[in-house]
Amino acid sequence: MSEILSSLPTPSWFAHPGARTWTCPPAPADVHGFHAALPGYTPTPLTELPSLASELNVGRVFVKDESCRLGLPAFKALGASWAVHRTLAERAGTQEADGTVTLVTATDGNHGRAVARMARLLGQRAHVFVPQGVHPAAAAAIAAEEARVTEVAGNYDEAVRRAATEVDATPAAVLIQDTAWPGYERIPGWIVEGYATLFAEIDAQLAAVEAGSPDLVAIPVGVGSLAQAAVTHYRSGSDGAAPAALLSVEPDSAAGVLTSLTHQAPVTVTTGETTMAGLNCGTPSTLAWPYLRDGLDAAIAVTDADSARAADDLAALGVPSGPCGAASLAGVRAALTGDGAPTRRAALSLGPASTLVLLSTEGTAANPQHLENLS
């Protein structure tokens, strides 16, 4: 069980000097091929932004734009599709295979919509639990995928608990959750495997523009599943190059991973309100935790104002990004500029010729607060 911390101040920075010497096995080799065979698959853009490289005093900056992934406005479809595929394939040929399955999950928006989309496409049912305060447009987008949506009187962690309880009480139901806890790790592991496609695309895209391998990858973090996938890729030698520095970025009101790293043990923090709704998670995934603890070079927390400014700047440069996706730029700015920047740059081994990759994990349509501005 995680220790619960509610009164301690949120740390702003953590560095782990030995992260790039840690190694782990790679993701399965067939994940990218599975996604490439899906209808509508195409690699998402990797956009170079020279003005950001100049601002940050590095060689090149690229943004991986996940604003349209398999027809949805966020990267989550990669993990959900692979996990649902593996789950239904495992059930095939068993007594449980008769009839339809109810895919159950909890979400702040994007993951639940991705699970609901897969259920609809595959002729299954979906039941999605959302925490209190999720924007009505996010819930409506999930319902539009023909899913049942239940709002929980509590935060994300409470929604996860309700979803798990629902599965225990529902025949032919299976939990497709992107966070893990003791006894529930296989399906979250498949979700993490699904994210491997994103990093395989980055490798090919950087090679196509003769950019080599990244010196730093910045990753927005909720429970840590995408960061686990990044660690798996860059600490297993999957890209065939020297290990990249990996920086996780969280809201300062929901910095569960940063606080856990600071304490060197998984903890649960009491979360507050944030426009970075998809990152509003107080407890790291137990499956992700060892990877984050051993494989992340650094972690940083940013404010809503930081992410809003970054989203506006990315939009002006032609990259549509919601607050969660723009957190990666906000985090890199916080790490590489301001008081203490030379120390943080040294911790990340960055210089004026370094190549940075920022993961923009969602488009503006994934953030309901911006939906009113979309035509």
Side-chain angles (χ1 to χ4, degrees):
M1 295 292 291
S2 298
E3 178 187 2
I4 298 177
L5 301 177
S6 59
S7 59
L8 294 181
T10 300
S12 59
W13 168 259
F14 173 86
H16 176 204
R20 267 161 283 176
T21 65
W22 187 73
T23 59
C24 62
D30 55 343
V31 176
H32 190 193
F34 163 78
H35 286 129
L38 292 177
Y41 168 80
T42 187
T44 55
L46 186 71
T47 303
E48 184 168 10
L49 299 176
S51 63
L52 291 183
S54 177
E55 174 193 338
L56 298 168
N57 191 26
V58 295
R60 305 179 78 172
V61 172
F62 296 86
V63 176
K64 183 63 168 168
D65 176 4
E66 291 291 308
S67 61
C68 186
R69 170 65 77 175
L70 292 170
L72 294 175
F75 76 103
K76 293 286 190 175
L78 292 174
S81 61
W82 178 250
V84 170
H85 163 72
R86 291 294 306 269
T87 297
L88 296 181
E90 187 176 76
R91 293 172 68 92
T94 69
Q95 290 183 344
E96 296 176 321
D98 295 334
T100 58
V101 175
T102 299
L103 305 178
V104 180
T105 195
T107 186
D108 281 314
N110 293 324
H111 171 71
R113 186 177 177 188
V115 171
R117 171 70 61 87
M118 289 302 300
R120 180 173 64 80
L121 292 177
L122 296 173
Q124 309 298 328
R125 295 184 294 265
H127 188 179
V128 180
F129 290 79
V130 300
Q132 190 174 34
V134 163
H135 196 284
I142 297 169
E145 302 291 347
E146 301 177 10
R148 177 185 174 191
V149 178
T150 298
E151 181 175 328
V152 173
N155 62 12
Y156 172 81
D157 289 344
E158 179 59 27
V160 171
R161 286 189 286 270
R162 283 287 308 278
T165 300
E166 177 73 8
V167 168
D168 291 339
T170 305
V174 60
L175 187 66
I176 307 293
Q177 197 59 56
D178 56 349
T179 188
W181 53 87
Y184 182 74
E185 294 183 328
R186 183 169 56 166
I187 289 175
W190 289 339
I191 289 173
V192 172
E193 289 176 359
Y195 299 151
T197 292
L198 187 156
F199 299 102
E201 291 175 0
I202 290 173
D203 289 346
Q205 290 166 322
L206 289 176
V209 295
E210 299 182 349
S213 59
D215 298 293
L216 172 73
V217 179
I219 313 125
V221 169
V223 299
S225 296
L226 180 60
Q228 179 187 348
V231 170
T232 298
H233 185 77
Y234 292 106
R235 300 292 178 255
S236 65
S238 298
D239 64 341
L246 302 176
L247 172 68
S248 71
V249 186
E250 294 170 281
D252 60 358
S253 59
V257 169
L258 175 55
T259 305
S260 296
L261 291 170
T262 302
H263 287 265
Q264 283 296 284
V267 300
T268 295
V269 300
T270 301
T271 61
E273 293 186 4
T274 174
T275 55
M276 294 172 273
L279 309 182
N280 195 15
C281 307
T283 307
S285 166
T286 59
L287 186 66
W289 168 245
Y291 291 80
L292 309 181
R293 177 194 63 208
D294 296 332
L296 285 176
D297 292 82
I300 200 164
V302 298
T303 67
D304 283 359
D306 293 332
S307 73
R309 176 193 166 208
D312 288 343
D313 291 344
L314 287 172
L317 294 169
V319 178
S321 183
C324 294
S328 56
L329 173 56
V332 166
R333 280 173 163 164
L336 303 189
T337 63
D339 293 342
T343 299
R344 294 189 292 271
R345 283 177 178 268
L348 297 168
S349 301
L350 298 181
S354 297
T355 296
L356 278 55
V357 172
L358 316 181
L359 305 187
S360 178
T361 51
E362 64 171 15
T364 51
N367 177 37
Q369 293 184 356
H370 292 281
L371 286 176
E372 294 84 354
N373 299 324
L374 298 178
S375 58

